[in-house]
Amino acid sequence: MTATILITGASSGFGAATARRFAKSGWRVVGTGRRAERLEALRGEIGDAFVPAVFDVTDEAAMEDALGRLQPPFSQIDLLVNNAGLALGTAPAQESDVADWKTMIATNVTALTVLTHRLLPGLIERRGAIVNLASIASNWPYPGGNVYGGTKAFVQQFTRGLRADLHGTGVRVTSIEPGLCESEFTMVRTGGNQQAYDVLYEGANALQPEDIAETIHWVASQPPHVNINQLELMPVSQSWGPLRVHREP
Protein backbone atom coordinates (compact mmCIF):
# COMPACT_ATOMS: atom_id res chain seq x y z
CA MET A 1 0.00 0.00 0.00
CA THR A 2 1.35 3.42 -0.97
CA ALA A 3 1.58 5.80 1.98
CA THR A 4 1.48 9.60 2.18
CA ILE A 5 3.97 11.86 3.93
CA LEU A 6 3.45 15.55 4.73
CA ILE A 7 6.67 17.54 5.09
CA THR A 8 6.70 21.12 6.34
CA GLY A 9 9.39 23.42 5.02
CA ALA A 10 9.78 21.36 1.84
CA SER A 11 10.99 24.20 -0.38
CA SER A 12 14.66 23.76 0.55
CA GLY A 13 17.21 21.96 2.71
CA PHE A 14 16.10 19.00 4.81
CA GLY A 15 12.51 19.23 3.58
CA ALA A 16 13.29 19.15 -0.14
CA ALA A 17 15.79 16.31 0.32
CA THR A 18 13.22 14.35 2.33
CA ALA A 19 10.58 14.85 -0.35
CA ARG A 20 12.94 13.47 -2.98
CA ARG A 21 13.96 10.50 -0.83
CA PHE A 22 10.41 9.40 0.00
CA ALA A 23 9.14 9.91 -3.55
CA LYS A 24 12.00 7.72 -4.75
CA SER A 25 10.67 4.98 -2.45
CA GLY A 26 7.17 5.22 -3.87
CA TRP A 27 5.54 7.44 -1.25
CA ARG A 28 3.05 10.16 -2.06
CA VAL A 29 4.43 13.49 -0.83
CA VAL A 30 2.71 16.67 0.33
CA GLY A 31 5.25 19.46 0.67
CA THR A 32 4.48 22.71 2.44
CA GLY A 33 6.30 26.01 2.24
CA ARG A 34 5.93 29.73 1.65
CA ARG A 35 7.74 29.83 -1.71
CA ALA A 36 5.33 28.55 -4.34
CA GLU A 37 7.90 28.70 -7.13
CA ARG A 38 10.25 26.35 -5.29
CA LEU A 39 7.49 23.88 -4.52
CA GLU A 40 6.39 23.97 -8.15
CA ALA A 41 9.98 23.28 -9.22
CA LEU A 42 10.04 20.32 -6.86
CA ARG A 43 6.78 19.04 -8.33
CA GLY A 44 8.32 19.36 -11.79
CA GLU A 45 11.25 17.28 -10.61
CA ILE A 46 9.30 14.61 -8.69
CA GLY A 47 6.14 14.43 -10.76
CA ASP A 48 2.62 13.46 -9.83
CA ALA A 49 3.72 11.86 -6.57
CA PHE A 50 4.26 15.37 -5.17
CA VAL A 51 1.56 17.90 -4.25
CA PRO A 52 2.54 21.39 -3.04
CA ALA A 53 0.64 23.06 -0.19
CA VAL A 54 1.65 26.72 -0.14
CA PHE A 55 1.33 28.43 3.23
CA ASP A 56 3.32 29.96 6.05
CA VAL A 57 3.23 27.55 8.99
CA THR A 58 2.67 30.47 11.37
CA ASP A 59 -0.56 31.41 9.55
CA GLU A 60 -3.17 29.05 11.01
CA ALA A 61 -5.97 30.16 8.67
CA ALA A 62 -3.78 29.61 5.61
CA MET A 63 -2.75 26.22 6.98
CA GLU A 64 -6.38 25.17 7.42
CA ASP A 65 -7.25 26.36 3.93
CA ALA A 66 -4.34 24.52 2.29
CA LEU A 67 -4.97 21.28 4.17
CA GLY A 68 -8.68 21.51 3.41
CA ARG A 69 -7.89 21.64 -0.31
CA LEU A 70 -6.00 18.35 -0.26
CA GLN A 71 -7.87 15.52 -1.93
CA PRO A 72 -7.59 11.77 -1.23
CA PRO A 73 -5.20 10.05 -1.20
CA PHE A 74 -2.98 13.06 -0.47
CA SER A 75 -5.26 14.16 2.36
CA GLN A 76 -4.74 10.81 4.12
CA ILE A 77 -1.49 11.50 5.97
CA ASP A 78 0.46 8.52 7.25
CA LEU A 79 3.63 10.36 8.27
CA LEU A 80 4.01 13.95 9.45
CA VAL A 81 7.52 15.40 9.30
CA ASN A 82 7.67 18.66 11.26
CA ASN A 83 10.73 20.09 9.55
CA ALA A 84 9.89 23.79 9.17
CA GLY A 85 11.91 25.87 11.59
CA LEU A 86 14.57 28.53 11.76
CA ALA A 87 17.24 30.20 13.83
CA LEU A 88 17.70 33.96 13.75
CA GLY A 89 20.84 35.66 15.00
CA THR A 90 23.94 34.51 16.81
CA ALA A 91 24.23 37.29 19.39
CA PRO A 92 24.16 36.69 23.15
CA ALA A 93 20.77 37.05 24.81
CA GLN A 94 21.45 40.55 26.12
CA GLU A 95 22.16 41.78 22.59
CA SER A 96 19.48 39.82 20.72
CA ASP A 97 16.45 41.25 18.93
CA VAL A 98 13.32 40.17 20.79
CA ALA A 99 11.44 40.17 17.47
CA ASP A 100 13.74 37.37 16.32
CA TRP A 101 12.95 35.46 19.51
CA LYS A 102 9.21 35.80 18.89
CA THR A 103 9.58 34.60 15.28
CA MET A 104 11.54 31.52 16.37
CA ILE A 105 8.95 30.65 19.01
CA ALA A 106 6.06 31.19 16.59
CA THR A 107 7.68 28.97 13.94
CA ASN A 108 9.53 26.32 15.91
CA VAL A 109 7.03 25.87 18.74
CA THR A 110 3.56 27.28 18.10
CA ALA A 111 3.23 26.35 14.43
CA LEU A 112 4.58 22.86 15.01
CA THR A 113 2.14 22.14 17.81
CA VAL A 114 -0.86 23.57 15.95
CA LEU A 115 -0.21 21.53 12.82
CA THR A 116 0.44 18.38 14.82
CA HIS A 117 -2.81 18.82 16.73
CA ARG A 118 -4.67 19.36 13.44
CA LEU A 119 -3.37 16.09 11.97
CA LEU A 120 -3.48 13.89 15.07
CA PRO A 121 -6.98 12.42 14.53
CA GLY A 122 -6.05 11.13 11.09
CA LEU A 123 -2.65 9.90 12.24
CA ILE A 124 -4.32 7.96 15.06
CA GLU A 125 -6.91 6.53 12.70
CA ARG A 126 -4.20 5.39 10.28
CA ARG A 127 -1.74 4.30 12.99
CA GLY A 128 0.75 6.69 11.44
CA ALA A 129 3.95 8.36 12.58
CA ILE A 130 5.39 11.76 13.47
CA VAL A 131 9.00 12.82 13.02
CA ASN A 132 9.96 16.12 14.67
CA LEU A 133 13.17 17.91 13.69
CA ALA A 134 14.88 19.09 16.85
CA SER A 135 18.63 19.71 17.12
CA ILE A 136 21.69 18.90 19.17
CA ALA A 137 20.85 22.31 20.66
CA SER A 138 18.05 20.45 22.47
CA ASN A 139 20.71 19.00 24.76
CA TRP A 140 23.90 20.99 24.33
CA PRO A 141 23.78 24.78 24.86
CA TYR A 142 26.24 27.09 23.14
CA PRO A 143 26.86 30.86 23.11
CA GLY A 144 24.25 32.61 20.99
CA GLY A 145 21.92 29.60 21.01
CA ASN A 146 19.56 31.08 23.64
CA VAL A 147 15.97 30.99 22.33
CA TYR A 148 16.74 28.73 19.37
CA GLY A 149 18.06 26.09 21.74
CA GLY A 150 15.05 26.60 23.97
CA THR A 151 12.64 26.01 21.09
CA LYS A 152 14.42 22.82 20.10
CA ALA A 153 14.41 21.58 23.68
CA PHE A 154 10.65 22.12 23.55
CA VAL A 155 10.43 20.04 20.36
CA GLN A 156 12.33 17.23 22.05
CA GLN A 157 10.13 17.27 25.15
CA PHE A 158 6.95 17.66 23.09
CA THR A 159 7.97 14.53 21.19
CA ARG A 160 8.30 12.63 24.43
CA GLY A 161 4.96 13.94 25.64
CA LEU A 162 3.29 12.82 22.43
CA ARG A 163 4.76 9.35 22.87
CA ALA A 164 3.23 9.20 26.34
CA ASP A 165 -0.17 10.52 25.26
CA LEU A 166 -0.35 8.31 22.16
CA HIS A 167 0.38 5.15 24.14
CA GLY A 168 -1.72 2.31 22.77
CA THR A 169 -2.69 4.07 19.52
CA GLY A 170 0.08 2.56 17.41
CA VAL A 171 1.31 6.03 16.39
CA ARG A 172 5.10 6.28 16.39
CA VAL A 173 6.86 9.52 17.36
CA THR A 174 10.53 10.38 16.88
CA SER A 175 12.81 13.34 17.59
CA ILE A 176 15.67 13.75 15.09
CA GLU A 177 18.46 15.94 16.45
CA PRO A 178 21.14 16.90 13.90
CA GLY A 179 24.41 18.67 14.54
CA LEU A 180 26.35 20.70 11.99
CA CYS A 181 24.58 20.36 8.65
CA GLU A 182 25.21 22.45 5.56
CA SER A 183 21.99 24.07 4.36
CA GLU A 184 20.17 27.33 3.75
CA PHE A 185 19.43 27.35 7.49
CA THR A 186 22.75 29.08 8.19
CA MET A 187 22.19 31.75 5.55
CA VAL A 188 18.87 32.59 7.19
CA ARG A 189 20.43 32.69 10.64
CA THR A 190 23.18 35.09 9.59
CA GLY A 191 20.95 37.31 7.48
CA GLY A 192 22.49 36.09 4.23
CA ASN A 193 26.13 36.47 5.30
CA GLN A 194 27.95 34.37 2.71
CA GLN A 195 31.32 34.89 4.40
CA ALA A 196 30.02 33.55 7.73
CA TYR A 197 28.52 30.59 5.88
CA ASP A 198 31.80 29.81 4.12
CA VAL A 199 33.85 30.09 7.32
CA LEU A 200 31.50 27.78 9.22
CA TYR A 201 31.55 24.97 6.68
CA GLU A 202 35.06 25.25 5.19
CA GLY A 203 36.83 21.94 5.66
CA ALA A 204 34.19 20.70 8.13
CA ASN A 205 32.74 17.89 5.98
CA ALA A 206 29.37 18.72 7.55
CA LEU A 207 26.22 16.65 7.36
CA GLN A 208 24.17 17.26 4.22
CA PRO A 209 20.37 17.50 3.85
CA GLU A 210 20.44 14.13 2.11
CA ASP A 211 21.90 12.58 5.28
CA ILE A 212 18.95 13.85 7.30
CA ALA A 213 16.49 12.66 4.65
CA GLU A 214 18.04 9.19 4.71
CA THR A 215 17.80 9.13 8.51
CA ILE A 216 14.11 10.08 8.45
CA HIS A 217 13.47 7.43 5.81
CA TRP A 218 15.23 4.80 7.93
CA VAL A 219 13.12 5.73 10.97
CA ALA A 220 9.92 5.49 8.93
CA SER A 221 10.99 2.16 7.43
CA GLN A 222 11.21 0.32 10.73
CA PRO A 223 8.60 -2.36 11.45
CA PRO A 224 5.36 -1.00 12.97
CA HIS A 225 6.25 -2.34 16.42
CA VAL A 226 9.57 -0.42 16.53
CA ASN A 227 9.70 3.21 17.70
CA ILE A 228 12.92 5.23 17.49
CA ASN A 229 12.35 7.67 20.35
CA GLN A 230 15.28 9.98 19.78
CA LEU A 231 18.19 10.06 17.37
CA GLU A 232 21.10 12.50 17.62
CA LEU A 233 23.63 12.70 14.80
CA MET A 234 26.70 14.82 14.10
CA PRO A 235 29.35 14.83 11.40
CA VAL A 236 32.50 12.99 12.49
CA SER A 237 34.26 16.37 12.46
CA GLN A 238 32.05 17.69 15.27
CA SER A 239 32.17 16.70 18.93
CA TRP A 240 32.05 18.29 22.39
CA GLY A 241 34.45 20.92 23.63
CA PRO A 242 35.67 21.70 27.14
CA LEU A 243 33.49 23.77 29.47
CA ARG A 244 34.45 27.43 29.45
CA VAL A 245 35.87 29.07 32.56
CA HIS A 246 35.84 32.85 32.93
CA ARG A 247 38.76 34.07 34.99
CA GLU A 248 38.75 37.38 36.84
CA PRO A 249 41.72 39.66 36.02
Side-chain angles (χ1 to χ4, degrees), residues 109-191:
V109 174
T110 306
L112 181 148
T113 56
V114 168
L115 178 59
T116 301
H117 187 267
R118 167 66 168 74
L119 295 180
L120 272 176
L123 289 166
I124 292 170
E125 179 183 351
R126 300 175 68 78
R127 299 177 71 87
I130 301 167
V131 173
N132 292 324
L133 266 295
S135 166
I136 62 168
S138 305
N139 293 313
W140 313 111
Y142 57 88
N146 45 70
V147 166
Y148 172 71
T151 64
K152 291 303 181 178
F154 173 90
V155 171
Q156 182 194 78
Q157 192 64 23
F158 181 59
T159 303
R160 293 171 176 169
L162 285 173
R163 280 277 288 133
D165 288 345
L166 293 169
H167 179 79
T169 66
V171 177
R172 299 185 290 173
V173 194
T174 301
S175 174
I176 303 288
E177 299 164 12
L180 183 67
C181 187
E182 186 172 5
S183 74
E184 192 176 283
F185 171 92
T186 300
M187 290 295 283
V188 172
R189 183 169 203 171
T190 62

Side-chain angles (χ1 to χ4, degrees), residues 179-235:
L180 183 67
C181 187
E182 186 172 5
S183 74
E184 192 176 283
F185 171 92
T186 300
M187 290 295 283
V188 172
R189 183 169 203 171
T190 62
N193 187 329
Q194 185 66 53
Q195 182 179 5
Y197 181 96
D198 293 341
V199 168
L200 178 63
Y201 293 115
E202 183 179 5
N205 198 19
L207 296 174
Q208 298 298 310
E210 292 73 21
D211 298 320
I212 309 306
E214 193 64 43
T215 302
I216 295 170
H217 186 268
W218 176 79
V219 166
S221 300
Q222 296 307 299
H225 70 284
V226 176
N227 192 91
I228 308 300
N229 296 330
Q230 181 177 350
L231 200 161
E232 181 180 276
L233 60 158
M234 296 179 181

Side-chain angles (χ1 to χ4, degrees), residues 2 17 30 36 39 42-43 48 54 75 105-106 111 136 139 167 187 197 204 207 214 217 235-236 244-245:
T2 303
V30 178
L39 293 178
L42 197 56
R43 176 158 64 176
D48 292 340
V54 182
S75 60
I105 292 168
I136 62 168
N139 293 313
H167 179 79
M187 290 295 283
Y197 181 96
L207 296 174
E214 193 64 43
H217 186 268
V236 174
R244 300 187 301 169
V245 177

